[in-house]
């Protein structure tokens, strides 16, 4: 079984190299390679997840505190399965022109990005995490720029600026941590972080968090969001919204044991997350461009995740995991359906989607379900996340934050149902549905959303396992460091 | 025995079937809807009396640390509300079958079935989790029905959805506070715990109760949340308005009676005023204020549906006042009025729907004289507004009488006077609606085209007339089955068929009916004995000898009830100037402006420096002060 964990990172990289040899062949070969690799990743990570096994691979045989380890525990496997599922859907159903990730150049970059995302989740080493993060960042710069319109370049450029700054700060933070604790292994770090003095620890952690907050699109690291989401090709939008932000959310959940040892840091991050939530959702309330709107909404949802983690406790982590998953699924649906709408109407302004429910009834239903799920309406998956999150906040007596979250949820509900309402208004237009194959992955994801919405019990065992793995530093440390005994 | 859970799942499945397969067969889906409601009425009738019935679902949810198995419980309160929901929907389905015009949206049946499933969930659930799920489902399902795929109706439906979301959010927060405090989400056990909590530490119970009350008042359309009511009623499909007015407004009343009233009336130990807990006193007055304001607003209303919507808000106000009194009589009066209002307001809205069906109008200034063309509709409307105005012998009279008795019994004279004002006003504006729609001269267009609605649509009207009159003469037919319900509120009076007990005296409805019939006989005698009627052309008698041509008035433009209550409207102009609507619009406008400014932060990179500074400031301030 151990080899699977390595394969999850190696195979996509291998596929990326392989694509070079098929550069002159038809695109379907590239699609076949990518689909096979990602499907393999999905299935194997799901198998590992359901067999409830946790495993640690020490690369090169170096013992954990010294070498790099890959950790597939009950938390990280959930997220690996999630991102592999979404990359599979992008690769298989993304379509060639629309998502622009399937020709051999961008396909290779997409595979590299997949490997990097899986690596960020699986790695148990902070510096290795940084390396994978840079890998993902560089591939995403190029992929955003491949959107081919003006805002693709500005979006990519903005992402490079903010991303470069954030990763430099993160590197600085990692350096400080290494200097003071003498280790880069996350599990080891969890045990030794208490040895560092307060102010230095906060500085180092704050700097490390910069990189994660950039991926999570938290203000003020999310200033690239509107332009990049607008300019990126459709496949890359899904990657930005459902994969990279998911990885960011996962990392913050993973670092939770370190975070709660620093109540001062939590105090500082709480207003930042609240500010991020308010700004993102109010910006979305006003936004007319569908992709920018969805980008703002991603930022808002990730701020919710951050708040749930900061509320802490079992319920907070549960809520965070649930919201991250629900957001990844729903956002992928919205981008798939959005790409389908854009293809049909040739416009990205949601006001021009009036009456699309006639042309594309399934698309309208899918959009509505995903939007309601993000709002947290019962019957969809997002409800359970929001419910647990409000419970976590009230349990930790953060009444002010909860008040803001409730108000912002109303804003969110209004702007999402406004779009759905527009879809259902009658309008005499002769729009024809194009690129309907984009709805297939959306249907699959919506079925998952609704299934979990009505029966959260079907995954609550897995999520609770993830919560236990995330909450207790001792469990993670034992898992990783016992290996050397 | 069919379980309640099965009924709910059946409704959801039927909703899916009608949404996916039967979009093109409107009539068939209405027949399915009708069959479902009839079947539910049957199932519910079998459940009556079986008050120990409960069922647990084979699912378990982990909510926070509370591991729960959701389930349903048959309690008299929930039974009565769900019975009325199903029975009224059943009646309405006949109406809708006839109504199926081409403009009639196809989306109504599936969403209505979702609403029925949600309402069964809300009324029978034994825990708060399912309550929230049902409560929030009502919001979006109604949104799609009210919008009906029309752009111009979007804003009205959104205002409903907005208030629904606000209500849902308040509910979630309150429920979590209950759950965290008592480690369970069971409604009935937490009621007992809340009573103890409210007795010992009222300040801990206060925020929970306040949030719950506000959440429920929003759904009842109480002031200052009343603005969704006229808009939603106006925009809703004509055959859905009876449901909104009859049932949707009552969800809030149900919530109050389920949780807030028992706690406030039994457990509250804080300050009291006029022998009432301050909390209950404030909301009692809010009910009065709601009905007074709705009455004033209804005076100046020209749209039949909006006028009736304000009337519904006013009636919700009476009910809120009555139930917050907390006495057995008050709760009985409030409940009886809630059920009576379900019947007569649903019937009134059906008649308006019938008028819309034939004329396509809801603007009262474009109607008139329809009584000759639609006699059954006219009769139904007439009996309906008699009931709504609270005049004997219709059913509205009995329940209003009980509410007055409850107010006087507690010596709330101010409230009684204020409510009397609202009630008199109700008579005035209802009469105006009657006059504008059915009396006076008929317009030429309507003279030619309008006729009585088909028989299928008359069925619910006939039944409604019988119910209104029957329950007015023999309120015991409703009060007697309600005895187990009243027992849960601590009243064990055994009811007789036609004598209603008040606090000051008792009322024999049969006697008042006899008086009324005598009055009708005498009036008829005078009518037949006096001089014969003769028809005059419209312009002869309406304009007092002036030449209408000079004023550019033609018979078609002339509507007798135009500006009917102008003096009264002028009298209250100062109040109407500061409307709550404007405040909401202003708030929404400000939100948009703020959104635009925030957009600028993100899109204009000249502002990035400020943005970074803002984030840094937030961190520093948070680190220092939070």
């Amino acid at each position: 079984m151990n080899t699977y964990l390595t394969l999850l990172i190696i195979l996509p990289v291998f596929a990326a190299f392989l694509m070079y040899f098929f550069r002159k062949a038809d695109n379907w070969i590239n699609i076949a390679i990518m689909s096979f690799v990602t499907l393999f990743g999905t299935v194997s990570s799901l198998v590992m997840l359901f067999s409830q096994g946790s495993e640690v691979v020490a690369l090169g045989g170096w013992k954990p505190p010294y070498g790099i380890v890959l950790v597939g525990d009950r938390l990280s496997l959930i997220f690996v399965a999630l991102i592999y599922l979404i990359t599979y859907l992008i690769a298989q159903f993304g379509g060639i022109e629309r998502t622009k990730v399937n020709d051999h150049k961008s396909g290779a970059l997409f595979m590299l990005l997949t490997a990097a995302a899986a690596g960020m989740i699986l790695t148990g080493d902070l510096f290795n995490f940084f390396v994978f993060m840079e890998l993902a960042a560089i591939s995403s710069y190029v992929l955003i720029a491949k959107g081919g319109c003006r805002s693709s370049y500005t979006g990519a450029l903005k992402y490079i600026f903010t991303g470069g700054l954030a990763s430099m700060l993160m590197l600085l933070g990692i350096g400080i941590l290494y200097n003071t604790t003498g280790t880069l292994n996350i599990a080891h770090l969890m045990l030794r972080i208490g040895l560092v003095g307060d102010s230095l620890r906060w500085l180092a952690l704050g700097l490390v968090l910069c990189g994660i907050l950039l991926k999570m699109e938290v203000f003020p690291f999310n200033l690239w969001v509107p332009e990049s989401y607008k300019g990126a090709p459709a496949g890359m939008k899904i990657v930005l919204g459902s994969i990279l932000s998911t990885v960011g959310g996962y990392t913050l959940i993973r670092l939770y044991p370190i975070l709660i040892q620093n109540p001062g840091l939590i105090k500082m991050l709480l207003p930042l997350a609240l500010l991020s939530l308010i700004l993102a959702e109010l910006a979305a309330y006003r936004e007319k461009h569908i992709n920018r709107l969805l980008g703002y909404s991603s930022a808002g949802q990730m701020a919710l995740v951050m708040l749930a983690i900061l509320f802490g406790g079992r319920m907070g982590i549960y809520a965070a995991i649930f919201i991250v998953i629900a957001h990844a699924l729903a956002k992928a649906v919205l981008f798939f359906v959005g790409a389908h709408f854009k293809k049909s109407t040739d416009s990205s302004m949601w006001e021009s989607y009036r009456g699309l429910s006639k042309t594309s009834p399934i698309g309208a239903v899918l959009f509505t379900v995903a939007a309601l799920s993000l709002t947290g309406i019962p019957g969809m998956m997002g409800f359970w996340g929001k419910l647990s999150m409000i419970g976590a906040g009230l349990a930790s007596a953060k009444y002010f934050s909860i008040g803001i979250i409730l108000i912002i949820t109303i804003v969110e509900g209004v702007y999402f149902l406004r779009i759905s309402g527009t879809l259902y208004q009658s309008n005499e237009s002769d729009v024809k549905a194009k690129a309907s194959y984009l709805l297939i992955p959306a249907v699959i994801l919506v079925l998952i959303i609704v299934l979990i919405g009505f029966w959260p019990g079907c995954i609550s065992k897995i999520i609770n396992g993830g919560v236990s793995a995330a909450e207790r530093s001792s469990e993670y440390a034992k898992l990783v460091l016992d290996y050397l005994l | 025995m069919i379980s309640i859970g099965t009924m709910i799942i059946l409704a959801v499945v039927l909703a899916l079937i009608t949404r996916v397969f039967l979009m093109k067969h409107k009539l068939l889906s209405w027949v399915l809807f009708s069959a479902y409601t009839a079947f539910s009425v049957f199932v519910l009738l079998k459940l009556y009396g079986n008050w120990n019935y409960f069922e647990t679902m084979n699912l378990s949810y982990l909510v926070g640390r509370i591991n729960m198995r959701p389930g349903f419980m048959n309690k008299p309160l929930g039974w009565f509300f769900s019975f009325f929901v199903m029975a009224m929907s059943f009646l309405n389905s006949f109406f809708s079958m006839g109504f199926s015009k081409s403009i009639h949206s196809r989306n109504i049946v599936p969403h209505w079935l979702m609403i029925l499933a949600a309402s069964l969930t809300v009324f029978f659930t034994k825990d708060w989790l399912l309550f929230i799920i049902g409560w929030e489902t009502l919001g979006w399902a109604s949104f799609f029905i009210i919008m009906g795929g029309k752009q111009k109706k979007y804003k009205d439906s959104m205002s409903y959805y907005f208030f629904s979301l606000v209500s849902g959010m308040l509910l979630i927060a309150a429920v979590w506070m209950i759950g965290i405090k008592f480690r369970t989400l069971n409604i009935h056990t937490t009621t007992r715990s809340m009573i103890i909590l409210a007795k010992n530490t009222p300040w801990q119970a206060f925020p929970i109760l306040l949030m719950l009350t506000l959440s429920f008042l929003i759904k009842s359309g109480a002031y200052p949340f009343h603005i969704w009511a006229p808009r939603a009623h106006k925009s809703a499909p004509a055959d859905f308005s009876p449901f909104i007015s009859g049932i949707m407004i009552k969800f809030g009343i149900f919530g109050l009676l389920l949780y807030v009233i028992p706690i406030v009336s039994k457990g509250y130990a804080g300050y009291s005023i006029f022998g009432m807990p301050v909390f209950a006193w404030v909301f009692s007055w809010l009910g009065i204020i709601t009905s007074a304001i709705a009455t004033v607003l209804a005076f100046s209303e020209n749209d039949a549906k909006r006028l009736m919507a304000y009337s519904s808000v006013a009636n919700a106000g009476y009910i809120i006042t009555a139930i917050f009194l907390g006495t057995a009589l008050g709760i009985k009066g409030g409940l009886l009025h809630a059920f009576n209002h379900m019947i007569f307001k649903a019937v009134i809205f059906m008649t308006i729907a019938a008028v819309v069906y034939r004329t396509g109008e809801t603007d009262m200034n474009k109607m008139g004289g329809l009584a000759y063309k639609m006699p059954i509709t006219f009769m139904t409307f007439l009996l309906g507004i008699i009931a709504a105005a609270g005049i004997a012998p219709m059913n509205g009279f009995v329940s209003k009488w009980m509410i007055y008795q409850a107010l006087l019994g507690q010596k709330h004279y101010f409230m009684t006077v204020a409510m009397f004002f609202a009630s008199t006003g109700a008579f005035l504006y209802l009469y105006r609606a009657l006059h504008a729609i059915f009396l006076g001269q008929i317009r030429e267009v309507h003279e030619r085209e309008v006729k009585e609605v088909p028989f299928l649509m008359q069925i619910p009207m006939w039944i409604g007339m019988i119910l209104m009159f029957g329950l007015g003469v023999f309120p015991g037919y409703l009060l007697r089955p309600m005895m187990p319900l009243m027992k849960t509120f601590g009243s064990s009076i055994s009811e007789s068929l036609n004598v209603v007990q008040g606090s000051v005296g008792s009322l024999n409805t049969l006697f008042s009916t006899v008086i009324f019939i005598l009055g009708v006989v005498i009036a008829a005698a005078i009518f037949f004995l006096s001089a014969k009627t003769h028809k005059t052309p419209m312009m002869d008698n309406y304009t007092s000898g002036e030449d209408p041509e000079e004023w550019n008035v033609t018979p078609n433009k002339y509507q007798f009830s135009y500006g009917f209550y102008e003096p009264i409207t002028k009298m209250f102009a100062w109040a109407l100037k500061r409307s709550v609507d404007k405040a909401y619009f202003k708030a929404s406008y400000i939100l948009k402006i703020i959104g635009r400014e925030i957009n600028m932060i993100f899109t204009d990179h000249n502002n990035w420096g400020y943005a970074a500074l803002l984030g840094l400031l937030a961190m520093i301030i948070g680190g220092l002060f939070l």
Side-chain angles (χ1 to χ4, degrees), chain A residues 286-330:
Chain A
R286 178 70 190 165
E287 188 55 65
K288 301 249 185 278
H289 192 286
I290 182 114
N291 293 325
R292 272 159 68 162
L293 183 142
L294 293 178
Y296 286 132
S297 143
S298 280
Q301 290 284 324
M302 284 299 128
L304 275 183
V305 172
M306 190 166 155
L307 279 170
I309 296 166
L310 297 180
F311 290 156
R314 254 193 102 75
M315 216 183 335
I317 302 294
Y318 182 86
I321 297 177
F322 230 101
I323 297 177
V324 171
I325 298 175
H327 168 256
L329 297 177

Side-chain angles (χ1 to χ4, degrees), chain A residues 140-163:
Chain A
S140 25
Y141 300 148
V142 183
L143 280 173
I144 291 173
K146 289 209 78 155
C149 61
R150 194 182 139 88
S151 53
S152 310
Y153 301 117
T154 42
L157 208 58
K158 282 184 178 181
Y159 196 28
I160 288 175
F161 283 145
T162 35

Side-chain angles (χ1 to χ4, degrees), chain A residues 367-388:
Chain A
F367 193 95
T368 308
V369 172
L372 290 180
S373 172
L374 280 185
T375 316
I377 297 292
M380 291 70 172
M381 191 180 172
F383 169 68
W384 301 101
K386 208 150 245 177
L387 191 73
S388 321

Side-chain angles (χ1 to χ4, degrees), chain A residues 121 472 478:
Chain A
I121 292 173
R472 297 188 208 118
K478 196 170 169 234

